[in-house]
Amino acid sequence: MTDPTPRRVRVRAPELVGKGGWLNTGDKQYTLADLRGRIVLLDFWTFCCINCLHVLDELRELEEKHADTVVVIGVHSPKFVHEAEHAAVVDAVERYGVAHPVLDDPELATWKQYAVRAWPTLVVIDPEGYVVAQHAGEGHVHAIERLVTELEAEHEAKGTLRRGDGPYVAPEPQPTALRFPGKALVLPSGNFLVSDTTRHQLVELEPDGESVVRRIGSGARGFTDGPAETAAFSEPQGLALLDEGAVVVADTVNHALRRFDLATGEVTTLAGTGRQWWQGSPTSGPAREIDLSSPWDVALFGAKVWIAMAGVHQLWVYDPVERTVAATAGTTNEGLVDGPGAEAWFAQPSGLAATADRLWVADSETSALRWVEADGSVHTAVGTGLFDFGHRDGPAEQALFQHPLGVTALPDGSVAISDTYNHALRRFDPATGEVTTLATDLREPSDAVLVGDDIVVVESAGHRLTRLRLPEEAVKVASVAHRTQRAATEVAPGRLELDVIFQAPAGQKLDERYGPSTRLLVSATPPELLLSGEGAGTDLTRVLELNPGIAEGVLHVSAMAASCDDDGENEFPACHVHQQDWGVPVRLAEGGADRLPLVLAGLDAQTP
């Protein structure tokens, strides 16, 4: 292997600019010059994005290990309108335990300067202020760790490395009974059980929804079975009665299902290994031996526990009799496609509610309400795709939600939708096909449960349960429609070279022991945008033919690459999967670009 230092491309890093200012710095504002001498890792994220949440978790160990040399800065770059609100970013930083400075960039100014095209994207800046690497998607922390070690040695020798404490200042803890609760459940006793997500606990409340009966879990992030006082969760979310004496818990960041015994308080693990599922991992088998990926909600449907597997855009099933799990619906591609379960596409399913003949699904990233029939087929009630959202009542085909996280079956056959980023509770009636608004001015509602004639809403950002009487008439709300605000890339009609850039990390090579180590999947919205080039293949470069009759659209690109340690002496080298999905808005114009580079890992050598 050649020494990686001479061949490392360096590009001067643009300044960090964000209209929302800095969080987690004790109100101090920073520039790159203030950070000179440190290795800076920019994490471009947005808080709706499950892949971004995965990366936050991946970074924790690296931040701790290299605390005196590395400064991680989250650059919050919103997708949804609600995510551009500063108060919502402040909430999200606390909600997800972000323990590094965050730059709030509601207008995507820094995103544009760094030519970022996907959430999440990681950019490494060396101690002299030069960009030395860029990675899109998950699974790159091992490569960044290796690069950080190289940079430490290189700049220690040059005298350009400055060690010391970073700029992070922890916010003051707040004394509320609940902190960003996720989901709720009415127990057979009439009490509520709530997932107190940010505190890594379950909380049992009296029927008033306020008085605490007991807390389950130590309150420290972890993955430990045992009595209620010492058991540990990591950002638990969904809850469902497994039987009269036990609750199944979607332990989201532990990638596991847990069982809580109502009588004894004992917590045990039902499914998952604690490791995140990756492409190529088994999708069925004994429940304790199969990796899961960010289970967000659970519901009993057809005598089995259905799992909203937000991390891989699928629905899985846990069989409590056989103690097995299996992927049941969704291809892992992100989007909105109906049909047989094996062919359907979801986008971060986050809420489930079962009736006798349907499983309702809140599909958050498509701002959609979906359902699954008993035969496993998937259908859409409301929603059109990844880029359209808003607050609009009326016929289902025209109605709009904004990133809903919960759905609740109502006695009359309709469903209530916790329309999270619209701060509203909505209703869909399958009999009439109409969407109405039941209540507004709720702070990021994430779930709701029925109690007699009332509905109790989990106001996640309000840190409380709120009881409402189900209204007989809908609330009148002015219609608002939005599209994701990202600048479109101008491309020439006709031939377009799509170039996904992947450079194996230093000390690794492409894993071709079992065939091609790369995968590329391309599609478009509208489909007519692509005259040729759609579909799956193994080459990361592909020529697309764009329809000159279509003015604008979105190219959907999904790429994966596997790399392993380049050690001929080791029969079982450590291997890693790198993957990312892009939705690239494009506008066709004469004189536009004829090449579209997307960086999976590395730097684009053709960048001027």
Side-chain angles (χ1 to χ4, degrees):
M1 295 284 298
T2 58
D3 177 17
T5 303
R7 65 180 173 83
R8 186 182 297 128
V9 178
R10 301 202 311 168
V11 178
R12 176 63 72 177
E15 190 50 83
L16 305 179
V17 180
K19 190 175 181 180
W22 290 81
L23 307 176
N24 282 356
T25 61
D27 295 326
K28 183 174 179 180
Q29 308 298 300
Y30 280 88
T31 67
L32 280 177
D34 298 325
L35 304 172
R36 199 76 79 234
R38 310 299 292 272
I39 300 164
V40 177
L41 175 57
L42 303 182
D43 175 16
F44 290 86
W45 71 298
T46 188
F47 63 78
C48 72
C49 161
I50 191 66
N51 310 93
C52 300
L53 304 186
H54 290 165
V55 168
L56 285 176
D57 198 51
E58 289 177 3
L59 289 174
R60 295 184 203 281
E61 185 177 342
L62 182 143
E63 291 182 85
E64 183 177 339
K65 184 176 178 181
H66 298 272
D68 65 337
T69 60
V70 174
V71 174
V72 177
I73 294 175
V75 182
H76 189 268
S77 313
K79 171 186 173 180
F80 289 99
V81 168
H82 171 59
E83 292 173 313
E85 298 171 10
H86 183 71
V89 181
V90 172
D91 284 345
V93 167
E94 181 189 350
R95 179 196 299 271
Y96 296 116
V98 180
H100 52 246
V102 172
L103 176 64
D104 181 13
D105 183 18
E107 296 177 347
L108 302 180
T110 297
W111 166 287
K112 294 170 186 173
Q113 286 294 310
Y114 281 82
V116 174
R117 296 184 184 275
W119 298 278
T121 291
L122 298 170
V123 176
V124 182
I125 302 172
D126 74 11
E128 294 179 287
Y130 290 91
V131 173
V132 292
Q134 182 168 324
H135 303 265
E138 306 175 48
H140 300 292
V141 171
H142 71 284
I144 292 171
E145 164 87 31
R146 185 186 291 264
L147 176 57
V148 163
T149 303
E150 290 177 3
L151 290 171
E152 286 174 339
E154 176 187 338
H155 289 273
E156 191 95 76
K158 291 174 66 175
T160 50
L161 184 70
R162 177 168 57 89
R163 295 180 181 270
D165 292 334
Y168 171 66
V169 177
E172 289 291 324
Q174 300 298 315
T176 54
L178 299 173
R179 205 71 195 158
F180 297 104
K183 304 289 185 181
L185 176 68
V186 180
L187 298 174
S189 64
N191 288 349
F192 295 100
L193 187 68
V194 184
S195 52
D196 199 18
T197 303
T198 297
R199 293 201 178 118
H200 315 295
Q201 291 180 317
L202 310 181
V203 180
E204 186 175 347
L205 301 173
E206 291 182 4
D208 63 8
E210 297 179 5
S211 305
V212 176
V213 176
R214 57 176 168 170
R215 292 182 177 272
I216 300 94
S218 65
R221 185 189 297 271
F223 189 16
T224 307
D225 287 343
E229 299 75 22
T230 58
F233 300 94
S234 188
E235 299 181 28
Q237 285 281 350
L239 306 166
L241 277 173
L242 195 58
D243 52 50
E244 287 296 300
V247 172
V248 58
V249 182
D251 193 5
T252 304
V253 179
N254 278 329
H255 311 295
L257 297 188
R258 315 291 290 282
R259 180 185 185 274
F260 167 51
D261 189 293
L262 292 171
T264 67
E266 192 80 8
V267 176
T268 53
T269 299
L270 294 175
T273 63
R275 296 184 302 270
Q276 184 184 339
W277 186 95
W278 287 98
Q279 291 286 351
S281 303
T283 55
S284 63
R288 291 292 304 274
E289 299 175 16
I290 303 298
D291 299 338
L292 308 181
S293 183
S294 298
W296 206 275
D297 203 4
V298 282
L300 259 70
F301 180 58
K304 294 181 180 179
V305 177
W306 285 65
I307 311 163
M309 203 72 79
V312 284
H313 318 300
Q314 290 182 307
L315 302 180
W316 286 41
V317 162
Y318 167 70
D319 187 326
V321 176
E322 300 295 329
R323 298 183 181 179
T324 58
V325 290
T328 305
T331 64
T332 76
N333 293 320
E334 185 179 18
L336 193 153
V337 176
D338 290 340
E343 300 172 13
W345 292 23
F346 292 93
Q348 225 168 287
S350 301
L352 300 175
T355 63
D357 57 353
R358 284 185 178 182
L359 178 72
W360 292 98
V361 183
D363 204 23
S364 62
E365 278 294 286
T366 52
S367 298
L369 174 65
R370 321 277 297 276
W371 83 86
V372 181
E373 295 278 359
D375 64 5
S377 61
V378 177
H379 308 264
T380 298
V382 181
T384 59
L386 287 164
F387 302 98
D388 295 296
F389 57 93
H391 191 146
R392 181 193 288 156
D393 288 334
E397 60 271 16
Q398 299 176 13
L400 294 170
F401 302 131
Q402 187 180 180
H403 198 80
L405 291 177
V407 59
T408 307
L410 300 179
D412 63 357
S414 66
V415 290
I417 300 94
S418 296
D419 194 3
T420 309
Y421 289 2
N422 279 328
H423 307 292
L425 189 68
R426 312 283 294 282
R427 176 178 179 264
F428 169 68
D429 186 348
T432 64
E434 291 286 316
V435 173
T436 53
T437 296
L438 297 176
T440 57
D441 299 321
L442 300 166
R443 287 198 63 192
E444 292 192 14
S446 55
D447 195 22
V449 293
L450 283 173
V451 181
D453 293 329
D454 296 340
I455 189 164
V456 176
V457 181
V458 180
E459 280 196 83
S460 189
H463 318 294
R464 60 181 175 250
L465 302 186
T466 298
R467 186 182 293 258
L468 305 171
R469 180 57 55 97
L470 275 173
E472 295 181 5
E473 292 188 7
V475 177
K476 299 296 183 183
V477 178
S479 294
V480 180
H482 301 289
R483 283 184 64 83
T484 300
Q485 294 302 304
R486 280 184 291 159
T489 299
E490 285 206 348
V491 296
R495 187 184 189 279
L496 177 68
E497 181 185 353
L498 173 64
D499 190 3
V500 175
I501 295 149
F502 177 75
Q503 296 156 4
Q508 294 190 355
K509 63 180 181 180
L510 289 174
D511 177 18
E512 296 177 336
R513 292 171 298 165
Y514 309 109
S517 61
T518 56
R519 185 190 70 172
L520 181 65
L521 178 68
V522 180
S523 62
T525 302
E528 297 77 25
L529 175 63
L530 277 177
L531 295 176
S532 66
E534 73 279 2
T538 58
D539 194 338
L540 292 182
T541 298
R542 185 180 302 180
V543 174
L544 311 180
E545 187 74 21
L546 302 184
N547 186 346
I550 303 295
E552 60 182 22
V554 178
L555 291 175
H556 306 283
V557 180
S558 178
M560 184 192 77
S563 63
C564 295
D565 289 348
D566 189 6
D567 182 358
E569 303 298 317
N570 187 353
E571 185 179 356
F572 302 105
C575 296
H576 306 272
V577 175
H578 316 255
Q579 63 184 42
Q580 176 60 21
D581 297 330
W582 290 268
V584 183
V586 295
R587 182 181 301 111
L588 275 61
E590 294 297 336
D594 60 3
R595 175 176 177 265
L596 177 61
L598 300 175
V599 177
L600 179 59
L603 292 173
D604 180 13
Q606 296 187 41
T607 299

